[in-house]
């Protein structure tokens, strides 16, 4: 579930949108939590590790630019 984080290996707080981005290492995804909602949303990865364009493999750190693009 989106409220279960395997291991957090990176956090980023986007101050202008009051959004928290979480690098979910063991679930191979990046989750976005908005302060106005009570649930998360996958913004990168599929939840299954891999090397395709839509998959992540144990993401560690992250950076979010002013337009909320995730790196």
């Amino acid at each position: 579930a989106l409220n279960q984080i395997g291991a957090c290996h990176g956090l980023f707080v986007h101050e202008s949108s009051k959004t928290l981005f979480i690098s979910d290492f063991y679930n191979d995804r990046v989750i976005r939590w908005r302060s106005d909602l009570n649930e998360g949303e996958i913004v990168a990865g599929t939840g299954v590790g891999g090397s395709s364009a839509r998959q992540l493999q144990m993401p560690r750190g992250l950076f979010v630019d002013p337009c909320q693009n995730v790196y």
Side-chain angles (χ1 to χ4, degrees), residues 6-65:
C8 176
H9 277 240
L11 288 174
F12 189 93
V13 177
H14 194 272
E15 291 185 40
S16 63
S17 66
K18 300 190 183 336
T19 304
L20 175 66
F21 291 82
I22 304 164
S23 178
D24 190 354
F25 183 78
Y26 288 123
N27 291 315
D28 304 304
R29 62 192 181 179
V30 174
I31 305 289
R32 174 174 57 195
W33 283 88
R34 293 178 23 194
S35 62
D36 59 340
L37 298 176
N38 289 327
E39 61 184 33
E41 170 186 21
I42 297 175
V43 294
T46 61
V48 176
S51 60
S52 76
R54 289 184 278 162
Q55 292 177 307
L56 298 175
Q57 185 71 38
M58 297 181 191
R60 287 167 181 86
L62 64 122
F63 175 78
V64 182
D65 69 14

